[in-house]
Amino acid sequence: MCGIVGYVGKNNAKTVVLEGLEKLEYRGYDSAGIAVVKDGALKVEKRCGKLQNLIEHLQTIDMSSDVGIGHTRWATHGEPSDINSHPHFSMDKKIAVVHNGIIENYLPLKNELIEKGYRFISETDTEVVVHLIDSMYNGDMLKTVAEVVKVLKGSYALAILDVNNPEEIICTRKDSPLVIGIGEGENIIASDIPALLKYTNKVVYLNDFEIATVRKNKVEVFDKELNAIQFEVKVVDWSYDQATKNGFPNYMLKEIHEQSSIVQKMLSSYLNGGDFTFANLFSTIDLKRYTKIHLVACGTAYHVGLQAKYFFNEISKMDAKVEIASEYRYQNNFIDDRTLAIFISQSGETLDTISALKKAKEEGATTLAITNVVGSTITREADITLYTLAGPEIAVASTKAYTSQVLVMYLFSLFLAEKIGKLERKEEKIAELKRLCELLKVENEDEIKFSEIVKKLENAKDAFFIGRGIDYYSSLEGALKLKEISYIHTEAFPAGELKHGSIALIEEGTPVIVVGTQDNLIEKTISNLKELKARGAYIISIGKKEYEDMKNSSDIFIGVDVVSQILSIFSVIVPMQLIACYTSMKKGLDVDKPRNLAKSVTVE
Ligand code: G6P
């Protein structure tokens, strides 16, 4: 979703803002813009399309200034266009605003403003904010913003630039992320940390309704009544290098390669011999009291929830259900104080997931957040947070966040099982974990197979994924990866279900990816594979190396090692991620920034 960057300090604001916006491109956007104060006047430039359009447009324009705000817009109200792009500005061009979120009451506010004589040039909800600030201006911008936000309904992160006060940027937020990077002789605001990392790793997370004034040498944070707040500066252990491609053609491929070392790092951080180092987080909680577990998330994180459900059922012997956050927040979930509700979110900013968490908390559940981003909104809402330690994930299609989330869930299921006296064969299970790093290594020997698969997929209209049991959950993630970056229509089915309708879609040459790692189910999966083959499907199998029948019945077979049935996702995920990545590359698509998608979904 939209990205905000603001800068005030010793460097050229235009350069810092554009670099920052580049780092936020992964969030998804369709236009970009920038505003600076130069020679006592506001200069605003905006361009529809890629950020590069704006960068090229700005090459001949002098915008050097020490203060500026910029924005990448993901259209909600009004089509992507130069006019609808942010920043929006007041009629006298004295005030500029960038916004992430949705102002839900923009229409009545707009009508009131029109009656007062304000002219709107865009179709956006954001333009209401800038005219509202202008109409309510009382000589003090901070006080004005405090009054304006009392009128706004919906979600927002806002950054405001005022020609009459060019030394500072005012920013505020509700339900949309905003962080302030604390530098030396310079300060930066941004929607996410990668945009700041070149300049600082010291950050302040704004909470809902807080308002900050950001100057070159000073940052102040106030509550909604404008009482000054003592804020905490956190140090993020991410580096600028982690947010670069490091020689890879795209971030996704780089992040796929990182998975093995991330798992290693997580295991050494979270396991000390047979002890779980995160145990202290639960020291005041009696885990025996919980009778049910809810797992709630969106997108890829939802697929982690499915794997985790299996872990809780099989290892902790607990009742667990998985729900999509946007559904969970509007339905009766029969929560009580014996419910442990787990919310999984890479960014920690997904609006639906956070809202679902707030609801579960209100209804009496204990809430546990699993996230990758230190200090993100979800960490401030949840009772307990467990981090995934995956480092910044830039590609929209999630890879390393997925595997690290699955690992955290597995470790937590072991820990929970131990605490409630259900854990069996602990040593064996811990020993198995040590082999996961090997499974996640990207081997080059399969390259020929991958190029054959890509050849088959690049012109395909549809592709289906099937599997049984936990392999079905893995298939769902494989299908999502391929769909989102190659634009091939994909669907995943439990292998036994395909014949109840969807088998009608199988034609000569339709690619079907079959996932098979479960000894107790493989014969049945192979029968389904054969049913598909008999109807012309082109079978690409990912299965245990020793499954000869699967190999012989498939057009292409990728044989994998499996350390244990329950951990099979770690064996099959890399081939599925690579299939998606290579197919997208072959089709010449933007692997990291697929059309219409956003990395961090901060609207409903
Ligand atoms: C978007 C992203 C997905 C992600 C989902 C949930 O759809 O494109 O990759 O899985 O949001 O995001 P979260 O940050 O909550 O894990």
PDB file of all heavy atoms in Angstrom, residues 23-24 26-27 179 190-198 200-201 203 205 236-238 243 372-376 392:
ATOM      1  N   LYS A  23      12.922   2.311  -1.816  1.00  0.00           N
ATOM      2  CA  LYS A  23      12.952   1.208  -0.854  1.00  0.00           C
ATOM      3  C   LYS A  23      11.543   0.781  -0.439  1.00  0.00           C
ATOM      4  O   LYS A  23      11.349  -0.291   0.124  1.00  0.00           O
ATOM      5  CB  LYS A  23      13.740   1.609   0.402  1.00  0.00           C
ATOM      6  CG  LYS A  23      15.226   1.742   0.150  1.00  0.00           C
ATOM      7  CD  LYS A  23      15.857   0.383  -0.068  1.00  0.00           C
ATOM      8  CE  LYS A  23      17.281   0.470  -0.516  1.00  0.00           C
ATOM      9  NZ  LYS A  23      17.730  -0.671  -1.299  1.00  0.00           N
ATOM     10  N   LEU A  24      10.576   1.646  -0.683  1.00  0.00           N
ATOM     11  CA  LEU A  24       9.194   1.293  -0.316  1.00  0.00           C
ATOM     12  C   LEU A  24       8.400   0.781  -1.513  1.00  0.00           C
ATOM     13  O   LEU A  24       7.218   0.478  -1.375  1.00  0.00           O
ATOM     14  CB  LEU A  24       8.477   2.505   0.285  1.00  0.00           C
ATOM     15  CG  LEU A  24       9.055   3.072   1.582  1.00  0.00           C
ATOM     16  CD1 LEU A  24       8.188   4.224   2.071  1.00  0.00           C
ATOM     17  CD2 LEU A  24       9.128   2.005   2.676  1.00  0.00           C
ATOM     18  N   TYR A  26       8.307  -1.920  -2.864  1.00  0.00           N
ATOM     19  CA  TYR A  26       7.770  -3.257  -2.636  1.00  0.00           C
ATOM     20  C   TYR A  26       6.357  -3.217  -2.044  1.00  0.00           C
ATOM     21  O   TYR A  26       5.624  -4.199  -2.114  1.00  0.00           O
ATOM     22  CB  TYR A  26       8.697  -4.041  -1.675  1.00  0.00           C
ATOM     23  CG  TYR A  26       8.619  -3.547  -0.260  1.00  0.00           C
ATOM     24  CD1 TYR A  26       7.689  -4.071   0.626  1.00  0.00           C
ATOM     25  CD2 TYR A  26       9.438  -2.522   0.185  1.00  0.00           C
ATOM     26  CE1 TYR A  26       7.588  -3.598   1.913  1.00  0.00           C
ATOM     27  CE2 TYR A  26       9.347  -2.046   1.462  1.00  0.00           C
ATOM     28  CZ  TYR A  26       8.421  -2.590   2.332  1.00  0.00           C
ATOM     29  OH  TYR A  26       8.304  -2.111   3.594  1.00  0.00           O
ATOM     30  N   ARG A  27       6.004  -2.104  -1.437  1.00  0.00           N
ATOM     31  CA  ARG A  27       4.691  -2.053  -0.794  1.00  0.00           C
ATOM     32  C   ARG A  27       3.563  -2.068  -1.821  1.00  0.00           C
ATOM     33  O   ARG A  27       2.416  -2.338  -1.472  1.00  0.00           O
ATOM     34  CB  ARG A  27       4.569  -0.780   0.061  1.00  0.00           C
ATOM     35  CG  ARG A  27       5.523  -0.765   1.234  1.00  0.00           C
ATOM     36  CD  ARG A  27       5.527   0.596   1.901  1.00  0.00           C
ATOM     37  NE  ARG A  27       4.257   0.919   2.518  1.00  0.00           N
ATOM     38  CZ  ARG A  27       3.874   0.516   3.704  1.00  0.00           C
ATOM     39  NH1 ARG A  27       4.660  -0.260   4.420  1.00  0.00           N
ATOM     40  NH2 ARG A  27       2.703   0.857   4.197  1.00  0.00           N
ATOM     41  N   VAL A 179       7.066   5.403  10.997  1.00  0.00           N
ATOM     42  CA  VAL A 179       8.211   5.382  11.919  1.00  0.00           C
ATOM     43  C   VAL A 179       9.052   6.634  11.677  1.00  0.00           C
ATOM     44  O   VAL A 179       9.062   7.186  10.580  1.00  0.00           O
ATOM     45  CB  VAL A 179       9.114   4.135  11.732  1.00  0.00           C
ATOM     46  CG1 VAL A 179       8.459   2.890  12.261  1.00  0.00           C
ATOM     47  CG2 VAL A 179       9.536   3.950  10.288  1.00  0.00           C
ATOM     48  N   ALA A 190       9.038   7.571   7.698  1.00  0.00           N
ATOM     49  CA  ALA A 190       8.748   6.628   6.615  1.00  0.00           C
ATOM     50  C   ALA A 190       7.679   5.637   7.046  1.00  0.00           C
ATOM     51  O   ALA A 190       7.450   5.428   8.248  1.00  0.00           O
ATOM     52  CB  ALA A 190      10.011   5.876   6.214  1.00  0.00           C
ATOM     53  N   SER A 191       7.080   5.014   6.040  1.00  0.00           N
ATOM     54  CA  SER A 191       6.086   3.974   6.329  1.00  0.00           C
ATOM     55  C   SER A 191       6.741   2.693   6.808  1.00  0.00           C
ATOM     56  O   SER A 191       6.094   1.865   7.438  1.00  0.00           O
ATOM     57  CB  SER A 191       5.282   3.642   5.074  1.00  0.00           C
ATOM     58  OG  SER A 191       4.639   4.776   4.606  1.00  0.00           O
ATOM     59  N   ASP A 192       8.007   2.510   6.458  1.00  0.00           N
ATOM     60  CA  ASP A 192       8.652   1.266   6.871  1.00  0.00           C
ATOM     61  C   ASP A 192      10.169   1.481   6.962  1.00  0.00           C
ATOM     62  O   ASP A 192      10.729   2.389   6.333  1.00  0.00           O
ATOM     63  CB  ASP A 192       8.323   0.139   5.878  1.00  0.00           C
ATOM     64  CG  ASP A 192       8.498  -1.238   6.505  1.00  0.00           C
ATOM     65  OD1 ASP A 192       8.937  -1.322   7.671  1.00  0.00           O
ATOM     66  OD2 ASP A 192       8.216  -2.241   5.813  1.00  0.00           O
ATOM     67  N   ILE A 193      10.790   0.597   7.706  1.00  0.00           N
ATOM     68  CA  ILE A 193      12.194   0.774   8.082  1.00  0.00           C
ATOM     69  C   ILE A 193      13.188   0.770   6.902  1.00  0.00           C
ATOM     70  O   ILE A 193      14.132   1.552   6.915  1.00  0.00           O
ATOM     71  CB  ILE A 193      12.555  -0.293   9.137  1.00  0.00           C
ATOM     72  CG1 ILE A 193      11.754   0.022  10.401  1.00  0.00           C
ATOM     73  CG2 ILE A 193      14.023  -0.327   9.452  1.00  0.00           C
ATOM     74  CD1 ILE A 193      11.667  -1.103  11.363  1.00  0.00           C
ATOM     75  N   PRO A 194      13.035  -0.083   5.870  1.00  0.00           N
ATOM     76  CA  PRO A 194      14.043  -0.077   4.811  1.00  0.00           C
ATOM     77  C   PRO A 194      14.314   1.313   4.226  1.00  0.00           C
ATOM     78  O   PRO A 194      15.419   1.608   3.776  1.00  0.00           O
ATOM     79  CB  PRO A 194      13.469  -1.023   3.751  1.00  0.00           C
ATOM     80  CG  PRO A 194      12.653  -1.982   4.541  1.00  0.00           C
ATOM     81  CD  PRO A 194      12.057  -1.167   5.665  1.00  0.00           C
ATOM     82  N   ALA A 195      13.312   2.193   4.264  1.00  0.00           N
ATOM     83  CA  ALA A 195      13.488   3.539   3.710  1.00  0.00           C
ATOM     84  C   ALA A 195      14.445   4.392   4.544  1.00  0.00           C
ATOM     85  O   ALA A 195      14.945   5.411   4.071  1.00  0.00           O
ATOM     86  CB  ALA A 195      12.132   4.234   3.596  1.00  0.00           C
ATOM     87  N   LEU A 196      14.697   4.007   5.779  1.00  0.00           N
ATOM     88  CA  LEU A 196      15.541   4.819   6.666  1.00  0.00           C
ATOM     89  C   LEU A 196      16.951   4.286   6.781  1.00  0.00           C
ATOM     90  O   LEU A 196      17.864   5.001   7.188  1.00  0.00           O
ATOM     91  CB  LEU A 196      14.997   4.817   8.105  1.00  0.00           C
ATOM     92  CG  LEU A 196      13.531   4.941   8.386  1.00  0.00           C
ATOM     93  CD1 LEU A 196      13.263   4.550   9.824  1.00  0.00           C
ATOM     94  CD2 LEU A 196      13.118   6.379   8.142  1.00  0.00           C
ATOM     95  N   LEU A 197      17.125   3.002   6.476  1.00  0.00           N
ATOM     96  CA  LEU A 197      18.335   2.296   6.897  1.00  0.00           C
ATOM     97  C   LEU A 197      19.636   2.896   6.388  1.00  0.00           C
ATOM     98  O   LEU A 197      20.670   2.746   7.020  1.00  0.00           O
ATOM     99  CB  LEU A 197      18.257   0.819   6.471  1.00  0.00           C
ATOM    100  CG  LEU A 197      17.336  -0.057   7.324  1.00  0.00           C
ATOM    101  CD1 LEU A 197      17.265  -1.456   6.750  1.00  0.00           C
ATOM    102  CD2 LEU A 197      17.795  -0.109   8.766  1.00  0.00           C
ATOM    103  N   LYS A 198      19.594   3.571   5.239  1.00  0.00           N
ATOM    104  CA  LYS A 198      20.820   4.165   4.727  1.00  0.00           C
ATOM    105  C   LYS A 198      21.321   5.262   5.676  1.00  0.00           C
ATOM    106  O   LYS A 198      22.506   5.561   5.736  1.00  0.00           O
ATOM    107  CB  LYS A 198      20.568   4.737   3.332  1.00  0.00           C
ATOM    108  CG  LYS A 198      21.829   5.221   2.670  1.00  0.00           C
ATOM    109  CD  LYS A 198      21.621   5.452   1.197  1.00  0.00           C
ATOM    110  CE  LYS A 198      22.899   6.002   0.583  1.00  0.00           C
ATOM    111  NZ  LYS A 198      22.660   6.480  -0.765  1.00  0.00           N
ATOM    112  N   THR A 200      20.016   5.780   9.179  1.00  0.00           N
ATOM    113  CA  THR A 200      19.985   5.486  10.616  1.00  0.00           C
ATOM    114  C   THR A 200      19.312   4.140  10.879  1.00  0.00           C
ATOM    115  O   THR A 200      18.502   3.676  10.070  1.00  0.00           O
ATOM    116  CB  THR A 200      19.213   6.591  11.383  1.00  0.00           C
ATOM    117  OG1 THR A 200      19.257   6.291  12.776  1.00  0.00           O
ATOM    118  CG2 THR A 200      17.762   6.708  10.945  1.00  0.00           C
ATOM    119  N   ASN A 201      19.673   3.533  12.012  1.00  0.00           N
ATOM    120  CA  ASN A 201      18.914   2.345  12.444  1.00  0.00           C
ATOM    121  C   ASN A 201      18.236   2.608  13.784  1.00  0.00           C
ATOM    122  O   ASN A 201      17.794   1.698  14.467  1.00  0.00           O
ATOM    123  CB  ASN A 201      19.816   1.099  12.510  1.00  0.00           C
ATOM    124  CG  ASN A 201      20.908   1.237  13.548  1.00  0.00           C
ATOM    125  OD1 ASN A 201      21.140   2.313  14.081  1.00  0.00           O
ATOM    126  ND2 ASN A 201      21.589   0.142  13.829  1.00  0.00           N
ATOM    127  N   VAL A 203      15.107   4.120  15.592  1.00  0.00           N
ATOM    128  CA  VAL A 203      13.747   4.468  15.166  1.00  0.00           C
ATOM    129  C   VAL A 203      12.804   4.701  16.346  1.00  0.00           C
ATOM    130  O   VAL A 203      12.986   4.156  17.428  1.00  0.00           O
ATOM    131  CB  VAL A 203      13.124   3.368  14.256  1.00  0.00           C
ATOM    132  CG1 VAL A 203      13.939   3.162  13.005  1.00  0.00           C
ATOM    133  CG2 VAL A 203      12.956   2.063  14.986  1.00  0.00           C
ATOM    134  N   TYR A 205       8.697   4.488  16.984  1.00  0.00           N
ATOM    135  CA  TYR A 205       7.429   4.055  16.396  1.00  0.00           C
ATOM    136  C   TYR A 205       6.322   4.941  16.935  1.00  0.00           C
ATOM    137  O   TYR A 205       6.150   5.038  18.153  1.00  0.00           O
ATOM    138  CB  TYR A 205       7.135   2.604  16.774  1.00  0.00           C
ATOM    139  CG  TYR A 205       8.122   1.641  16.173  1.00  0.00           C
ATOM    140  CD1 TYR A 205       9.253   1.247  16.874  1.00  0.00           C
ATOM    141  CD2 TYR A 205       7.941   1.137  14.895  1.00  0.00           C
ATOM    142  CE1 TYR A 205      10.179   0.378  16.323  1.00  0.00           C
ATOM    143  CE2 TYR A 205       8.856   0.272  14.326  1.00  0.00           C
ATOM    144  CZ  TYR A 205       9.973  -0.109  15.047  1.00  0.00           C
ATOM    145  OH  TYR A 205      10.876  -0.972  14.490  1.00  0.00           O
ATOM    146  N   VAL A 236      17.272  -0.923  15.481  1.00  0.00           N
ATOM    147  CA  VAL A 236      16.865  -2.057  14.650  1.00  0.00           C
ATOM    148  C   VAL A 236      18.125  -2.782  14.191  1.00  0.00           C
ATOM    149  O   VAL A 236      19.063  -2.141  13.717  1.00  0.00           O
ATOM    150  CB  VAL A 236      16.131  -1.532  13.391  1.00  0.00           C
ATOM    151  CG1 VAL A 236      15.574  -2.671  12.573  1.00  0.00           C
ATOM    152  CG2 VAL A 236      15.037  -0.583  13.775  1.00  0.00           C
ATOM    153  N   ASP A 237      18.148  -4.105  14.297  1.00  0.00           N
ATOM    154  CA  ASP A 237      19.388  -4.793  13.906  1.00  0.00           C
ATOM    155  C   ASP A 237      19.369  -5.221  12.427  1.00  0.00           C
ATOM    156  O   ASP A 237      19.957  -6.209  12.047  1.00  0.00           O
ATOM    157  CB  ASP A 237      19.699  -5.966  14.851  1.00  0.00           C
ATOM    158  CG  ASP A 237      18.823  -7.156  14.579  1.00  0.00           C
ATOM    159  OD1 ASP A 237      17.775  -6.966  13.928  1.00  0.00           O
ATOM    160  OD2 ASP A 237      19.167  -8.270  15.002  1.00  0.00           O
ATOM    161  N   TRP A 238      18.673  -4.459  11.604  1.00  0.00           N
ATOM    162  CA  TRP A 238      18.715  -4.697  10.162  1.00  0.00           C
ATOM    163  C   TRP A 238      19.756  -3.753   9.565  1.00  0.00           C
ATOM    164  O   TRP A 238      19.906  -2.628  10.019  1.00  0.00           O
ATOM    165  CB  TRP A 238      17.360  -4.366   9.521  1.00  0.00           C
ATOM    166  CG  TRP A 238      16.270  -5.307   9.862  1.00  0.00           C
ATOM    167  CD1 TRP A 238      16.342  -6.390  10.697  1.00  0.00           C
ATOM    168  CD2 TRP A 238      14.919  -5.240   9.404  1.00  0.00           C
ATOM    169  NE1 TRP A 238      15.125  -6.995  10.786  1.00  0.00           N
ATOM    170  CE2 TRP A 238      14.226  -6.319  10.009  1.00  0.00           C
ATOM    171  CE3 TRP A 238      14.213  -4.397   8.566  1.00  0.00           C
ATOM    172  CZ2 TRP A 238      12.872  -6.563   9.763  1.00  0.00           C
ATOM    173  CZ3 TRP A 238      12.875  -4.632   8.325  1.00  0.00           C
ATOM    174  CH2 TRP A 238      12.218  -5.711   8.922  1.00  0.00           C
ATOM    175  N   ALA A 243      18.899  -4.842   2.769  1.00  0.00           N
ATOM    176  CA  ALA A 243      17.821  -4.307   1.937  1.00  0.00           C
ATOM    177  C   ALA A 243      18.304  -4.020   0.508  1.00  0.00           C
ATOM    178  O   ALA A 243      17.730  -3.217  -0.199  1.00  0.00           O
ATOM    179  CB  ALA A 243      17.245  -3.049   2.584  1.00  0.00           C
ATOM    180  N   ASN A 372       7.781 -10.239  11.907  1.00  0.00           N
ATOM    181  CA  ASN A 372       9.174 -10.079  11.499  1.00  0.00           C
ATOM    182  C   ASN A 372       9.701  -8.692  11.850  1.00  0.00           C
ATOM    183  O   ASN A 372      10.890  -8.462  11.814  1.00  0.00           O
ATOM    184  CB  ASN A 372       9.236 -10.281   9.970  1.00  0.00           C
ATOM    185  CG  ASN A 372      10.640 -10.467   9.467  1.00  0.00           C
ATOM    186  OD1 ASN A 372      11.485 -11.009  10.163  1.00  0.00           O
ATOM    187  ND2 ASN A 372      10.897  -9.993   8.269  1.00  0.00           N
ATOM    188  N   VAL A 373       8.794  -7.779  12.135  1.00  0.00           N
ATOM    189  CA  VAL A 373       9.217  -6.384  12.247  1.00  0.00           C
ATOM    190  C   VAL A 373       9.151  -5.895  13.696  1.00  0.00           C
ATOM    191  O   VAL A 373       8.065  -5.743  14.274  1.00  0.00           O
ATOM    192  CB  VAL A 373       8.362  -5.487  11.318  1.00  0.00           C
ATOM    193  CG1 VAL A 373       8.844  -4.046  11.396  1.00  0.00           C
ATOM    194  CG2 VAL A 373       8.454  -5.991   9.882  1.00  0.00           C
ATOM    195  N   VAL A 374      10.329  -5.651  14.236  1.00  0.00           N
ATOM    196  CA  VAL A 374      10.442  -5.210  15.626  1.00  0.00           C
ATOM    197  C   VAL A 374       9.695  -3.889  15.786  1.00  0.00           C
ATOM    198  O   VAL A 374       9.872  -2.964  14.991  1.00  0.00           O
ATOM    199  CB  VAL A 374      11.931  -5.025  16.008  1.00  0.00           C
ATOM    200  CG1 VAL A 374      12.080  -4.441  17.404  1.00  0.00           C
ATOM    201  CG2 VAL A 374      12.656  -6.345  15.898  1.00  0.00           C
ATOM    202  N   GLY A 375       8.844  -3.826  16.788  1.00  0.00           N
ATOM    203  CA  GLY A 375       8.149  -2.579  17.093  1.00  0.00           C
ATOM    204  C   GLY A 375       6.960  -2.283  16.206  1.00  0.00           C
ATOM    205  O   GLY A 375       6.328  -1.235  16.346  1.00  0.00           O
ATOM    206  N   SER A 376       6.621  -3.189  15.275  1.00  0.00           N
ATOM    207  CA  SER A 376       5.473  -2.934  14.392  1.00  0.00           C
ATOM    208  C   SER A 376       4.186  -2.875  15.219  1.00  0.00           C
ATOM    209  O   SER A 376       4.149  -3.288  16.375  1.00  0.00           O
ATOM    210  CB  SER A 376       5.379  -4.013  13.312  1.00  0.00           C
ATOM    211  OG  SER A 376       5.349  -5.281  13.909  1.00  0.00           O
ATOM    212  N   PRO A 392      14.828  -7.890   6.656  1.00  0.00           N
ATOM    213  CA  PRO A 392      13.814  -7.244   5.815  1.00  0.00           C
ATOM    214  C   PRO A 392      13.438  -8.098   4.604  1.00  0.00           C
ATOM    215  O   PRO A 392      14.322  -8.570   3.895  1.00  0.00           O
ATOM    216  CB  PRO A 392      14.497  -5.941   5.372  1.00  0.00           C
ATOM    217  CG  PRO A 392      15.943  -6.113   5.648  1.00  0.00           C
ATOM    218  CD  PRO A 392      16.084  -7.122   6.733  1.00  0.00           C
TER     219      PRO A 392
END
